[in-house]
Amino acid sequence: MYELVSPVSPAAVLKYIGYFLIAFSLVLIVPSMAAILLQDNYAAIIYGLTSVLTFAAGFAIYRLIPEYDLEVKDAVIISALVFPISAFISAFPMAVTNNMSYIDAFFESVSAVTTTGLSVAPADSSMVFLFARSWAQWIGGIGIIIIVVAVLIHPGTAAFRIYKTQYSQIKLFPNVLKTTRLLGTLYILLTLVAIILLLISGMSLFDSVCHALSSVSTGGFSTRSASIGAFDNPLILFSISLASFLGAVSFGLYIKSGRKPSRMLKSSELQWLVLICIIGFAVLLFTTIRSEGFDSNSEDILFLAISAVSTSGFSTVDVSIYSDASKWVISVLMWIGGSTGSTAGGIKILRLLVLAKLIKIVFMRVFLPVEVITPLKLDNDRIKKEEINNIVVFSVLYISILVFSAYVFMFYGVNSADSIFEVSSALGTVGLSAGVTGPDMPDVLKMVLCADMLLGRIEIIPLLILVMPRTWIKRRTDRVHTPDQQKECSGSCQQRRRCPSNLPQ
């Protein structure tokens, strides 16, 4: 089997990276236009120049490289490359316009495009910088891949395979372009609703736009260093909580419920999302009450529970003052995350439901005859064996990366509770911090968190495939036998094991 593994086509991957660069150049125009409105001409020039250079690079690749048939493996690599490249490009204007080192700007850019919200930026950041990173979170939430598919790529196999790498669980129409444009329209409508709610709540227009972009994308970047706590307004808390929760619900469920509203109430994933928020609030409230000298506020704790589960990462209080027991509760909520097909991160509720049912079947099999078939179903949909395998592998990798990253933090002297918390926040693309993340944090730890944020947003497997040598280099083996050679191959042939028996005649 392994002898038949073929590497990706670098030319095909590069061709579609060219498409992406053209699309991303359009994304960079928006901060440039915002800078003009905010009367920051220097930032407008820097972002505009970055956009022009990005477009030129993408157009040159598009013109020089011929069209290629895109294989599934190529599409997976493209989806893994999009976010690191986006962060690499966005870091340049961020560094120049906000007087940051490139490493800090890259960290901020990774945090933005992965919709995380962890920050090492100075407290006196410019308004253009604050808007640019909220805008990057909004783009990262819907998925830059969606923009490429919806705007630049013609309908066909390539568009379908690229779309499938990001939204395989949302199957609304046979036409991928129609599906992507419908998802984009829904995303824009949710954002407009969030802006209106925040304006009604008393926020300024600038703050409303930035927070709406960050909340619907479950990103968590705020225009204030104290996050939502700086506003001290219950209506704003409610609006942010609602927008974040709506962003954590599967977009496919919204559209399907538009045809049949009862589907919304019957969704196991949505029911568990609500239940986990309630349970998380109750347990977190209990741990804070048990903490001596801690003045617990039920509104703040409910907001924090929703923020952790939806992976939006907003806060109203300094999380570092919470007890280790409370930090562990928040960490578990960040591991769980929101729904599949949403902007939320984490392991995702659907995967955990499948794992729970798998455990139940393992115990049930003890009491059942061997010949009895026990299919795994969720909401009357049968989960295929391949999907179960992927979920188990993903979950094992998720925990392994979390443990390894936390150990690196502990090696640098961070206590275990804070290490687990910070890594959980990055890997779950949440953005809550126990006070560890900051400009003075060692560069090694910044890069660990960058890797965790990318792994969490891309969902681990594509990024690991990207760095595997076999992805790019063909393994040298003895020549595989042709059908005619198989007939001549004797039983004593030492290469018999390499002769595939199902080659076409």
Side-chain angles (χ1 to χ4, degrees), residues 248 273 276-277 304-311 333-334 336-338 344-345 349:
L273 179 61
I276 290 167
C277 287
L304 184 57
I306 295 173
S307 181
V309 175
S310 67
T311 71
L333 294 177
M334 292 190 292
I336 295 171
I349 294 172

Side-chain angles (χ1 to χ4, degrees), residues 107-178:
F107 182 97
E108 207 75 11
S109 185
V110 169
S111 185
V113 298
T114 58
T115 71
T116 303
L118 288 171
S119 179
V120 295
D124 58 347
S125 298
S126 67
M127 293 178 71
V128 174
F129 173 83
L130 295 175
F131 171 80
R133 66 180 191 174
S134 293
W135 169 249
Q137 282 196 328
W138 191 79
I139 293 297
I142 187 60
I144 304 166
I145 288 291
I146 294 295
I147 298 173
V148 176
V149 172
V151 177
L152 294 175
I153 299 179
H154 298 295
T157 304
F160 172 76
R161 286 175 173 167
I162 290 177
Y163 169 85
K164 191 176 179 181
T165 61
Q166 291 286 308
Y167 288 95
S168 60
Q169 66 279 1
I170 301 180
K171 303 171 184 177
L172 302 174
F173 304 104
N175 188 322
V176 170
L177 297 188
K178 187 176 180 180

Side-chain angles (χ1 to χ4, degrees), residues 76-77 79-81 83-84 114 165-166 334-335 344-348 351 389-405 423-424 426-429 448-468 471:
V76 170
I77 296 304
S79 70
L81 284 170
F83 288 95
T114 58
T165 61
Q166 291 286 308
M334 292 190 292
W335 299 343
I347 295 176
K348 301 285 179 37
R351 289 193 180 103
N389 292 340
N390 289 339
I391 289 171
V392 172
V393 170
F394 174 86
S395 302
V396 171
L397 289 174
Y398 193 97
I399 299 301
S400 301
I401 292 168
L402 190 149
V403 171
F404 175 78
S405 300
V423 169
S424 299
L427 193 56
T429 67
V448 169
L449 291 183
C450 283
D452 288 340
M453 289 187 282
L454 289 168
L455 286 164
R457 181 60 181 88
I458 303 171
E459 299 209 320
I460 300 177
I461 294 176
L463 198 58
L464 295 183
I465 291 175
L466 173 65
V467 299
M468 287 174 56
T471 300

Side-chain angles (χ1 to χ4, degrees), residues 400-415 419-420 423 436 442-449 452:
S400 301
I401 292 168
L402 190 149
V403 171
F404 175 78
S405 300
Y407 178 78
V408 176
F409 271 76
M410 286 185 277
F411 183 79
Y412 274 81
V414 183
N415 66 64
S419 296
I420 292 290
V423 169
V436 177
D443 289 345
V444 172
L445 298 186
K446 290 176 183 177
M447 292 300 101
V448 169
L449 291 183
D452 288 340

